[in-house]
Amino acid sequence: MLEQSVQFVKGIGPTKAALLASQAGIETVEDLLYHSPRRYLDRSTFKRIADCRTGETVTVGGRIADAAIMGRGRKFLSVTIEDESGSLAGVFFGGIPYFKKIFRPGEYVLFSGKIDFFRTMQIVHPEFDFLDDESSIANINTGRVVPLYRSSEKLRGAGLDSRGFRRIIRNALDACIGEIADPLDAGLLERLGLISLPEAIRFLHFPDTAQDADRARRRLSFNELFLLQYYLALSRRLLREERGASARAIDTAAFDAFARGLPFALTDAQAAAIDEIRRDMERSVPMNRLLQGDVGSGKTVVSLAAALFALGRGEQTAVMAPTEVLAAQHDRTFRALLPPGVRTALLTGSLPRAEKRAIASAAAAHELDIVIGTHAVIQNGVSFARLGLIVIDEQHRFGVNQRAALRDKGALPDLLVMTATPIPRSLALTLYGDLEVSSLREKPAERVPVTTLAFPEERVADIYRSVEKYVSQGRQVFIVLPLIAESEKMDLASAEDTYARLRDTVFPARRVGLLHGRLPAAEKDAVMRDFAAGAVDILVTTTVVEVGVDVPNATVMVIMHPERFGLAQLHQLRGRVGRGAHQSFCILVHPADIPDESRRRIDAIVGTDDGFAIAEEDLRQRGAGEVIGLRQHGHDAGLEFTDLARDMELILSARAEAEARAAEVADAETLAARVREPAQIGGIARGIRSKRVISLLS
Ligand code: ADP
Ligand code: MG
């Protein structure tokens, strides 16, 4: 029955089946059983409204009594909910028309967030979930853990809200739980402390306790990790067997010329990384290396050396940066340091079409040695005559599938991924399976550590005065404004307002520039060039400046609303200063009253400048949610059930198990077929199924 259409489950007819397929990708009964709850409602985090206290972070639920637009100057929407004990308001400042539409009186809704008190008990910008009716709340109050499912307007219209899903899944389970076979043997499960697959599926939907839900998650996580690792293990074997042991020779003339011409001595860490890369690139098996080094540790120079090794094998290099600003900067750095005769081009989306085409055909004719550009442009626009190396800068969410797509561009080119955000080992293993790591733990010698300070907004005038002082000493300053999504019109207006005010009123005697993602690329590039050349004193900017920008004379960064940035992002931003010999400062200017989590992030960033420590703290803080959220944690790796912060051991055992199974594949033909056709591995590891992993690999 598992393979049959969901239509045959009690309570689902042809109409609902069609909706399930189109709205949720659920076609078979098995699909339905694997349709995992988005989150669970758990009594331990749930409160009656009357029991809430100011300052607590809680989840409350109730019926919407009223949704009213209020406020004189700044309007806001106040959504009042009631339970049997009292009432509370959810307050929304942005998106009022949208929220006004969705919060309809009479509906049941769940609010999560921090309680504060302003005329009434309220939560500002709560996270919210719609409930089908009061019975979910009644269920929690009887001590059960209640699963909530992702649904849609159309599904809800057909009765498939969370309650509807619980009902049909119950029916499906009753009909075929006996058919679910566990592909793993009992001994292994016991050794790993995992529950059986049928049990996991049952607890996924109907856990008695939060622990049950977590046991289900762990078991399903093992399944997806095992599949992923199995595929990676097969690929590694195939590669070893195909390539044999012949070495590739590198002519180092170009590299030697570059090393002689460098205006500084390489740090020991840089020299060591370059050495490791060179040894990788001489081997027959393609390099798969991650170069991690904190902001300012000098990764670009290392990638340049790698490009020259590729050149020394008669091959081309593609350098991919996440933004145009950064691609342009790499282009400048490369041009400044490359020995004469090396042919490079900068390829960005904003070039006139004819120029883009000219560069692409030059790459195809091997008239270019190095092409630098943004990921999108190179991935979509260029084919190379002999692509030997791909350098990917500042992009650690670069998954297995993108990698495969890229590799189609060359006969398995070498890969060098660079990142300032150290990848926790769990993520590296999950994403890449077999990535070698070089670390630049040391920064160029003359660097002075950045001093980081946090101030409430009321001190902003003092802060501008010290900005003025540093500018008068010849230094340059970044003022960073949050523009979370570059498309948010309101934010953009506020960035432009702030810019105008700073330029006209606060720093009338200074040259103030503005940089944000909505500017045409040519303008962005011009502003960055002016700033790099010292022709702009104060650069008002959004996070487009986050990654990689290198202006050693900029020694002060003021970050407004740091509470709106993530930890890794704050660290990245801060890395834009402290790149020269002068003492640098990073100043965080936050509203007086901010949520606890934001406060913790700010404390963490003030407390340490160590990127490795920050990455760990980031994973820890993000991993600790008050609600058990299934999908939040493994997302970075594209996984559904895995929590990278907690599942390190699971990852390692899945990997070991997968290695053993991959070694059992006897003939080369089967091996090659499985690697080429990832969808097949699902069938091989019978009963272990993960649509997510299969699509990740395909
Ligand atoms: P990141 O690792 O953040 O990408 P960059 O490659 O942009 O760092 O390098 C930061 C700055 O340090 C650049 O101005 C670069 O020229 C300089 N730099 C790199 N290596 C050295 C070195 N060994 N000695 C002195 N300066 C260096
Ligand atoms: Mg960089």
Side-chain angles (χ1 to χ4, degrees):
M1 165 120 195
L2 285 173
E3 307 285 297
Q4 284 181 21
S5 159
V6 275
Q7 186 180 332
F8 302 111
V9 173
K10 202 170 99 198
I12 307 180
T15 323
K16 280 185 185 164
L19 268 180
L20 283 169
S22 66
Q23 298 283 303
I26 297 171
E27 287 171 359
T28 65
V29 179
E30 190 180 45
D31 290 342
L32 180 62
L33 292 181
Y34 276 90
H35 183 65
S36 59
R38 186 166 40 77
R39 67 167 176 158
Y40 299 95
L41 268 184
D42 175 8
R43 192 151 89 136
S44 60
T45 60
F46 192 81
K47 286 229 151 126
R48 290 187 338 146
I49 291 174
D51 297 334
C52 293
R53 298 287 168 263
T54 308
E56 280 179 333
T57 300
V58 298
T59 298
V60 295
R63 194 176 52 81
I64 299 177
D66 186 29
I69 297 173
M70 304 174 59
R72 250 169 259 121
R74 191 162 179 219
K75 298 241 181 293
F76 61 92
L77 181 71
S78 175
V79 180
T80 306
I81 62 169
E82 295 175 342
D83 68 7
E84 77 291 348
S85 73
S87 70
L88 172 148
V91 174
F92 298 83
F93 285 99
I96 294 180
Y98 170 74
F99 289 128
K100 174 92 182 139
K101 208 175 102 207
I102 65 171
F103 290 116
R104 284 187 293 251
E107 299 241 30
Y108 283 85
V109 71
L110 209 63
F111 283 162
S112 303
K114 186 169 146 190
I115 301 276
D116 61 35
F117 197 89
F118 184 76
R119 293 205 201 101
T120 61
M121 186 114 71
Q122 65 178 30
I123 301 179
V124 177
H125 287 279
E127 283 191 49
F128 57 87
D129 267 293
F130 286 97
L131 296 176
D132 19 33
D133 65 14
E134 219 169 357
S135 69
S136 317
I137 297 174
N139 263 330
I140 309 167
N141 289 333
T142 59
R144 287 199 67 88
V145 177
V146 180
L148 299 179
Y149 295 88
R150 196 175 299 278
S151 193
S152 68
E153 197 83 46
K154 280 190 180 146
L155 285 169
R156 275 197 294 276
L160 291 174
D161 48 22
S162 281
R163 193 164 52 131
F165 267 110
R166 286 199 291 276
R167 199 167 38 228
I168 57 174
I169 289 173
R170 171 97 270 163
N171 293 342
L173 268 176
D174 287 346
C176 58
I177 187 94
E179 286 177 43
I180 300 173
D182 201 322
L184 304 182
D185 61 73
L188 177 68
L189 293 181
E190 198 176 332
R191 193 150 44 77
L192 300 175
L194 295 172
I195 59 175
S196 74
L197 190 55
E199 223 179 347
I201 301 230
R202 191 162 61 80
F203 281 156
L204 178 67
H205 302 288
F206 300 100
D208 292 326
T209 62
Q211 287 74 25
D212 288 345
D214 193 58
R215 276 182 211 123
R217 184 197 65 75
R218 262 176 61 84
R219 172 57 211 265
L220 295 168
S221 160
F222 184 85
N223 282 12
E224 66 186 2
L225 288 168
F226 174 80
L227 267 193
L228 181 63
Q229 293 296 338
Y230 181 64
Y231 182 77
L232 293 170
L234 289 175
S235 315
R236 280 196 296 276
R237 242 195 85 185
L238 182 65
L239 213 53
R240 276 197 304 271
E241 291 177 13
E242 279 181 352
R243 285 299 177 96
S246 66
R248 295 175 292 177
I250 295 177
D251 171 356
T252 60
F255 170 75
D256 294 338
F258 150 80
R260 272 195 307 276
L262 263 184
F264 44 72
L266 293 172
T267 63
D268 290 347
Q270 283 170 321
I274 290 174
D275 231 44
E276 286 166 337
I277 289 169
R278 176 172 161 177
R279 262 177 282 138
D280 279 359
M281 291 180 69
E282 280 169 347
R283 284 174 30 193
S284 63
V285 176
M287 170 167 75
N288 210 1
R289 187 167 285 277
L290 175 72
L291 176 62
Q292 73 187 15
D294 208 351
V295 284
S297 58
K299 295 183 289 292
T300 315
V301 170
V302 176
S303 70
L304 210 156
L308 292 173
F309 294 143
L311 183 79
R313 292 187 317 214
E315 292 170 347
Q316 298 166 289
T317 297
V319 179
M320 308 207 282
T323 63
E324 297 208 348
V325 168
L326 208 55
Q329 179 182 289
H330 282 329
D331 181 57
R332 283 194 295 275
T333 309
F334 272 53
R335 279 173 200 282
L337 299 178
L338 279 171
V342 181
R343 302 159 300 177
T344 72
L346 174 66
L347 180 64
T348 57
S350 54
L351 282 182
R353 195 179 298 165
E355 256 174 79
K356 273 191 269 195
R357 224 179 290 134
I359 293 175
S361 62
H366 207 158
E367 287 157 9
L368 286 170
D369 302 305
I370 302 173
V371 179
I372 301 168
T374 51
H375 297 113
V377 173
I378 294 193
Q379 255 164 288
N380 304 329
V382 199
S383 58
F384 290 81
R386 286 191 70 184
L387 184 59
L389 169 69
I390 298 172
V391 176
I392 297 168
D393 191 23
E394 303 292 359
Q395 166 86 318
H396 64 288
R397 303 215 161 158
F398 191 77
V400 182
N401 52 343
Q402 282 123 305
R403 209 164 50 148
L406 258 185
R407 295 213 144 173
D408 290 344
K409 284 194 173 291
L412 288 182
D414 289 315
L415 182 67
L416 180 65
V417 180
M418 305 199 287
T419 176
T421 317
I423 299 183
R425 185 155 161 72
S426 57
L427 187 56
L429 281 176
T430 322
L431 271 180
Y432 303 97
D434 55 350
L435 203 67
E436 308 281 345
V437 178
S438 297
S439 284
L440 303 182
R441 290 221 164 209
E442 142 200 44
K443 293 190 187 180
E446 71 273 29
R447 298 289 163 74
V448 188
V450 179
T451 299
T452 305
L453 305 163
F455 294 103
E457 270 165 359
E458 60 194 37
R459 297 284 303 279
V460 75
D462 296 338
I463 291 160
Y464 287 154
R465 263 193 296 280
S466 33
V467 165
E468 180 62 38
K469 186 185 86 189
Y470 286 106
V471 174
S472 72
Q473 292 170 2
R475 302 284 82 76
Q476 289 164 281
V477 176
F478 294 104
I479 296 184
V480 182
L481 305 171
L483 186 54
I484 302 290
E486 292 283 342
S487 63
E488 280 178 29
K489 276 209 195 100
M490 245 172 49
D491 273 353
L492 185 62
S494 90
E496 276 168 344
D497 280 356
T498 308
Y499 162 68
R501 202 164 45 78
L502 290 174
R503 184 194 53 196
D504 299 338
T505 321
V506 186
F507 304 108
R510 301 302 176 191
R511 296 162 301 177
V512 183
L514 174 65
L515 180 69
H516 61 71
R518 288 281 205 82
L519 290 178
E523 230 170 286
K524 265 190 278 190
D525 199 35
V527 173
M528 258 337 286
R529 238 189 341 244
D530 286 349
F531 190 65
V536 166
D537 302 307
I538 299 173
L539 184 63
V540 178
T541 176
T542 65
T543 51
V544 289
V545 84
E546 176 186 338
V547 231
V549 167
D550 182 43
V551 180
N553 189 48
T555 57
V556 179
M557 171 171 284
V558 179
I559 303 179
M560 310 301 253
H561 288 289
E563 76 282 2
R564 291 177 64 180
F565 297 103
L567 201 46
Q569 204 176 20
L570 286 172
H571 182 65
Q572 277 281 314
L573 281 167
R574 175 170 60 183
R576 302 309 110 219
V577 294
R579 301 185 144 243
H582 295 282
Q583 169 68 54
S584 290
F585 297 91
C586 176
I587 299 167
L588 311 172
V589 187
H590 59 81
D593 189 23
I594 49 175
D596 288 348
E597 307 95 81
S598 313
R599 166 60 67 186
R600 275 198 294 278
R601 283 202 300 274
I602 290 173
D603 288 348
I605 207 84
V606 170
T608 178
D609 190 28
D610 176 349
F612 285 80
I614 286 170
E616 269 159 31
E617 178 65 18
D618 190 28
L619 198 61
R620 212 176 53 76
Q621 288 192 7
R622 281 190 301 147
E626 54 138 345
V627 211
I628 323 157
L630 279 179
R631 292 173 199 257
Q632 283 153 20
H633 310 310
H635 248 172
D636 287 352
L639 296 174
E640 187 170 12
F641 297 104
T642 302
D643 180 343
L644 296 168
R646 295 195 291 158
D647 290 336
M648 190 59 211
E649 259 174 89
L650 212 52
I651 293 169
L652 291 175
S653 29
R655 187 173 151 90
E657 191 60 25
E659 279 280 353
R661 296 272 186 112
E664 288 165 10
V665 177
D667 65 304
E669 232 164 275
T670 317
L671 187 62
R674 287 185 188 176
V675 173
R676 260 197 311 279
E677 201 54 70
Q680 287 194 7
I681 65 172
I684 289 149
R686 248 189 324 281
I688 293 191
R689 136 195 167 127
S690 167
K691 275 195 172 175
R692 188 73 64 94
V693 171
I694 299 292
S695 71
L696 200 66
L697 295 173
S698 296

